[in-house]
Amino acid sequence: MTEQRFGEWVAVRRHGDAGRVAELVLDRPKAMNAISTDMARALTEACAALSADRSVSCVVLTSTHERAFCVGADLKERNSFTDADLARQRPHTRAAYTGVLELPMPSVASVHGFALGGGYELALACDVIVADPTAVVGLPEVTVGVIPGGGGTQLLPRRVGAARAAQLVFTGRRVPAAEALALGLVDVLAEEGQDRVEALALAATIAANSPVGLRAAKRALRLGQGADLRTGLDVEDAAWRAVAFSGDRAEGVAAFNEKRDPVWPGE
């Protein structure tokens, strides 16, 4: 495993011989990974590097804190802000959430402990959320006079429906892991302390597949979401055409017929 640091509080670790699984690590344990301006900048930089790396097939978003995934915005930092300071910070925080959301390869969040506000929005920006029984998720922003601003008002209704999302956003309620699974707020419930292990195992399974196919499938899923059926099918057709004449498609068919594991060219 290799590690690259982005600022003081974000790291990227590469797993496996080919490094196709990248772990995007939130590493600000003294603040429960509260997202400061500097941490937002680092997260944006790390996501840009991952997005540009064609060798990465799946990203796992993890935390080094034992009791928290991420508690959201750094309210201690914001307590000293003027209105002008807050306005200047906004592009940096928005870029961080967008960076995770727009990763071109599949992404998996590994959640334990508190994932609140912007912390849960980082998880929502991923394609799959794996949690353990200690996880507590929610969007409590209205309780401190703001709204979810990291994608929560748009991503949560796409995940659980408009009415359920409205109830959760309007109440700011914190939801424990078992209920979160039942409501669709998380996707997989691992054994306690095993969320990272299970998320990395899922990522390894994903990363064994065609890199070209994975990126095209994610693009079709994201772009087609919310579109009418005809538009969605056109999105799917465009993604199919992008992979149908690729080296990965040729290798996949050949490997199937030769009864061997494919060696993906990634193009």
Side-chain angles (χ1 to χ4, degrees):
M1 182 177 69
T2 62
E3 179 175 295
Q4 180 182 3
R5 302 293 301 190
F6 293 85
E8 186 177 356
W9 297 314
V10 175
V12 170
R13 298 171 180 165
R14 300 291 291 269
H15 293 267
D17 294 338
R20 291 197 176 277
V21 173
E23 184 180 359
L24 178 57
V25 186
L26 306 177
D27 188 24
R28 196 188 179 198
K30 290 183 179 179
M32 289 189 169
N33 292 324
I35 303 168
S36 64
T37 307
D38 286 345
M39 187 171 180
R41 288 193 187 103
L43 190 55
T44 302
E45 183 184 352
C47 287
L50 287 168
S51 294
D53 191 339
R54 297 291 301 183
S55 69
V56 177
S57 292
C58 191
V59 172
V60 181
L61 182 60
T62 68
S63 160
T64 60
H65 195 285
E66 292 182 356
R67 294 185 295 109
F69 173 71
C70 173
V71 293
D74 187 340
L75 296 184
K76 289 184 178 179
E77 179 187 59
R78 286 193 180 178
N79 192 47
S80 66
F81 277 7
T82 64
D83 287 352
D85 291 331
L86 185 59
R88 280 191 291 268
Q89 186 200 43
R90 176 59 177 170
H92 298 293
T93 53
R94 186 174 182 187
Y97 298 118
T98 302
V100 177
L101 182 65
E102 294 186 350
L103 288 168
M105 68 289 289
S107 56
V108 181
S110 165
V111 175
H112 57 267
F114 297 112
L116 300 173
Y120 183 48
E121 287 174 302
L122 286 177
L124 285 173
C126 295
D127 299 299
V128 180
I129 303 174
V130 176
D132 87 346
T134 69
V136 179
V137 305
L139 298 174
E141 284 89 345
V142 296
T143 68
V144 293
V146 291
I147 70 165
T153 66
Q154 304 305 305
L155 295 171
L156 188 58
R158 284 168 166 78
R159 173 177 273 274
V160 300
R164 182 165 287 166
Q167 182 187 41
L168 292 167
V169 170
F170 295 159
T171 62
R173 187 165 70 89
R174 300 181 179 193
V175 183
E179 184 184 2
L181 179 66
L183 294 177
L185 302 176
V186 304
D187 304 303
V188 178
L189 194 59
E191 293 183 7
E192 186 168 342
Q194 296 299 301
D195 54 289
R196 177 176 176 270
V197 171
E198 191 148 339
L200 286 170
L202 174 60
T205 299
I206 292 169
N209 296 316
S210 158
V212 171
L214 289 171
R215 289 178 180 236
K218 177 165 180 173
R219 189 164 62 250
L221 285 164
R222 286 288 177 90
L223 293 179
Q225 195 171 57
D228 63 87
L229 180 58
R230 183 176 296 276
T231 300
L233 291 173
D234 286 343
V235 168
E236 181 182 83
D237 185 64
W240 180 86
R241 291 176 185 277
V243 300
F245 310 105
S246 68
D248 273 15
R249 194 276 308 169
E251 169 60 13
V253 172
F256 176 83
N257 284 293
E258 295 166 14
K259 296 182 174 55
R260 60 173 176 81
D261 292 334
V263 180
W264 305 114
E267 58 185 20

